[in-house]
Amino acid sequence: MKARDRLAMTALRSALAAIDNAGAVDPTQAASTGSGPGHSGLGAARAAHSEFAGTVAGVGAAEVKRRSLSQAQMEAIVRTEIADRETAATGYERAGQLQHAERLRAEAKVLRSHLTTT
């Protein structure tokens, strides 16, 4: 970020967002009101919210643990991000959009460099 490399910042932010999304809570777990992983044992204190279907209200209603990802899972996500960029770059090339293709390949190169150095 200090180098103000927009291309690298875009690629890294996108990869971090993909990792963050992968660690999101399972919607079925978040909507349940029983005691289970991520629940604070306050199931009795929670009641269904009357205005929003599938939601709960009360103390601890929003307290659900995020999924924990292993290093291998995070690397797999970054590798998928690289593959997606390269696939899209090929499509842009076929459509004659060489500038877009070059940008995506450069982003893939940035992500690849971070996989091999860490």
Side-chain angles (χ1 to χ4, degrees):
M1 292 179 109
K2 287 182 182 181
R4 300 203 187 272
D5 184 347
R6 286 184 167 244
L7 184 94
M9 286 190 319
T10 299
L12 293 172
R13 283 182 176 156
S14 176
L16 288 172
I19 290 168
D20 192 46
N21 287 342
V25 177
D26 180 4
T28 58
Q29 179 186 6
S32 69
T33 59
S35 61
H39 292 287
S40 59
L42 300 172
R46 293 184 232 175
H49 194 282
S50 61
E51 295 183 30
F52 301 101
T55 62
V56 293
V59 177
E63 296 177 17
V64 180
K65 284 187 173 182
R66 293 181 60 83
R67 290 183 231 178
S68 222
L69 299 175
S70 69
Q71 184 71 27
Q73 289 170 316
M74 288 187 275
E75 286 179 15
I77 291 166
V78 174
R79 289 183 198 288
T80 300
E81 288 288 307
I82 292 167
D84 289 349
R85 280 172 174 73
E86 290 178 349
T87 301
T90 301
Y92 277 121
E93 276 182 345
R94 287 185 191 140
Q97 300 288 325
L98 300 180
Q99 236 178 351
H100 291 295
E102 287 175 16
R103 188 192 85 238
L104 288 172
R105 287 211 168 89
E107 287 181 15
K109 183 178 178 181
V110 167
L111 294 177
R112 197 175 297 108
S113 74
H114 283 276
L115 276 181
T116 58
T117 60
T118 57

